[in-house]
């Protein structure tokens, strides 16, 4: 336990000396499948709309190793992901996602099914995730390493808490794994012919009528909860007109040729930050 706690007090400034002294040992452990990641340190950060978000920060050495795994896997996996997914992807941005959403509205889809996944990063099913990884990775050492990162546990006030589900939000590998999980949702939406935009766990589906929106809301919620084993937050999800819902801090105007405008809440947050 002392080694785990000390590991979290090491910073990037210590990294060159640590790697110079320990890299041969770490490399052997990785190649032989014996490397054991340390528990992540839980940190709470404020959400823009209120409340807090839990982050799991790996030790500096584990972050380096996760980054190395990411740099090998992302070029292989990313080209296979849906073109409607914009979050945490090279060459993609939130502004591109907002522009795509605006285009769907302009093309005659004045209703949006706004889906909110409840604590997505905390509820990813390990077995389903590792099955998806195993379909793309044949090296068993890499598979074992990724599972160890997922199950390394969390340090809360110096006490170790076991990890049973979720992919810690805060490590370099987490965004890629989350996109892999939700790629199954993207493919289902494409198979059904829906117009949609997804940015991480924010997914908006654009439809022509309220009746169609109600059908889509019900059927996609069933798919997410039964097939993906995730939970839709019914209180934050809604069927509405796009100009009534904020998406990534923006919304279209209620016009024949809708323009993009900044959401009211985003303006308030900006003013608060300027005052601070």
């Amino acid at each position: 336990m002392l080694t785990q706690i000390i590991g979290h007090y090491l910073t990037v400034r210590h990294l060159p000396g640590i790697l110079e002294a320990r890299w041969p040992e770490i490399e052997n452990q990785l190649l032989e499948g014996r490397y054991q990641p340390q528990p992540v340190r839980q940190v709470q950060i404020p959400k823009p709309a209120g409340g807090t978000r839990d982050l799991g920060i790996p030790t500096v050495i584990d972050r380096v190793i996760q980054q190395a795994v990411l740099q090998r896997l992302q070029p292989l996996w990313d080209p296979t992901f849906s073109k409607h997914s914009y979050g945490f992807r090279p060459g993609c941005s939130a502004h591109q996602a907002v522009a795509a959403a605006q285009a769907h509205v302009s093309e005659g889809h004045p209703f949006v099914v706004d889906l909110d996944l409840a604590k997505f990063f905390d509820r990813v099913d390990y077995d389903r995730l590792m099955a998806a990884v195993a379909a793309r990775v044949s090296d068993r050492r890499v598979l074992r390493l990724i599972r160890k990162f997922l199950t390394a546990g969390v340090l809360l006030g110096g006490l170790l808490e076991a990890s049973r589900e979720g992919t810690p939000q805060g490590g370099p590998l987490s965004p890629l794994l989350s996109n892999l999980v939700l790629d199954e949702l993207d493919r289902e939406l494409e198979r059904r012919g829906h117009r949609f935009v997804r940015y991480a766990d924010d997914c908006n589906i654009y439809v022509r009528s309220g009746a169609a929106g109600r059908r889509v809301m019900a059927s996609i919620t069933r798919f997410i909860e039964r097939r993906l084993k995730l939970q839709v937050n019914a209180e934050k999800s809604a069927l509405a007109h796009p100009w009534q819902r904020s998406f990534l801090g923006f919304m279209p105007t209620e016009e024949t040729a809708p323009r993009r405008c900044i959401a009211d809440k985003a303006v308030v947050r900006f003013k608060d930050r300027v005052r601070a």
Side-chain angles (χ1 to χ4, degrees):
M1 177 62 71
L2 180 60
T3 303
Q4 297 165 356
I5 295 173
I6 290 174
H8 283 285
Y9 285 96
L10 300 175
T11 68
V12 175
R13 293 196 308 273
H14 301 109
L15 191 56
I18 297 170
L19 294 181
E20 184 176 357
R22 290 194 55 202
W23 183 250
E25 172 196 354
I26 294 171
E27 182 181 23
N28 284 335
Q29 291 177 355
L30 289 168
L31 292 174
E32 295 172 6
R34 296 185 294 106
Y35 183 79
Q36 181 59 52
Q38 300 297 324
V40 300
R41 177 169 54 90
Q42 188 176 85
V43 175
Q44 292 186 329
I45 62 171
K47 289 183 176 181
T52 59
R53 174 180 288 111
D54 291 336
L55 297 185
I57 309 300
T59 64
V60 64
I61 295 176
D62 286 344
R63 289 205 300 274
V64 169
I65 295 172
Q66 283 198 32
Q67 183 67 32
V69 174
L70 173 69
Q71 289 177 198
R72 292 293 292 176
L73 296 184
Q74 189 164 50
L76 301 175
W77 293 8
D78 193 79
T80 70
F81 290 155
S82 169
K83 65 179 182 180
H84 305 290
S85 165
Y86 293 88
F88 308 123
R89 299 185 61 190
C92 296
S93 68
H95 288 93
Q96 291 174 339
V98 172
Q102 180 186 9
H104 292 320
V105 178
S106 299
E107 292 164 6
H109 297 79
F111 289 86
V112 60
V113 177
D114 185 354
L115 291 171
D116 182 89
L117 300 183
K119 294 188 175 181
F120 165 71
F121 286 92
D122 300 331
R123 290 181 171 156
V124 171
D125 182 89
Y126 286 157
D127 292 334
R128 287 189 57 82
L129 171 55
M130 289 309 303
V133 174
R136 295 168 179 255
V137 174
S138 58
D139 192 323
R140 292 186 178 276
R141 294 171 300 180
V142 177
L143 294 175
R144 285 196 296 268
L145 180 62
I146 291 176
R147 180 173 276 277
K148 286 178 180 179
F149 276 126
L150 292 172
T151 59
V154 180
L155 275 178
L156 295 169
L159 300 176
L160 178 61
E161 183 176 293
S163 300
R164 296 180 178 85
E165 61 180 359
T167 169
Q169 189 177 4
L173 200 52
S174 181
L176 180 66
L177 295 178
S178 68
N179 272 331
L180 180 62
V181 170
L182 292 176
D183 188 60
E184 189 172 353
L185 172 61
D186 297 341
R187 298 308 174 188
E188 180 66 15
L189 293 173
E190 290 176 346
R191 187 185 69 78
R192 299 186 186 192
H194 289 312
R195 291 173 175 257
F196 71 98
V197 179
R198 183 175 66 78
Y199 190 95
D201 56 339
D202 289 330
C203 184
N204 279 6
I205 308 168
Y206 296 87
V207 295
R208 294 187 182 276
S209 69
R214 286 186 287 274
R215 290 194 298 271
V216 169
M217 175 72 81
S219 64
I220 296 300
T221 296
R222 284 195 300 271
F223 176 84
I224 290 172
E225 295 185 343
R226 295 178 184 177
R227 181 69 175 272
L228 302 185
K229 308 300 183 184
L230 298 170
Q231 185 176 341
V232 173
N233 188 330
E235 292 183 359
K236 292 186 178 181
S237 299
L239 169 65
H241 293 295
W243 47 89
Q244 297 171 329
R245 303 288 293 183
S246 171
F247 179 54
L248 302 176
F250 293 86
M251 58 177 57
T253 56
E254 186 181 0
E255 299 172 319
T256 305
R259 296 170 292 113
R260 254 173 287 169
C261 65
I262 302 173
D264 291 343
K265 289 183 179 179
V267 174
V268 170
R269 289 197 299 269
F270 171 74
K271 291 181 177 179
D272 288 342
R273 289 176 66 184
V274 170
R275 291 190 190 98

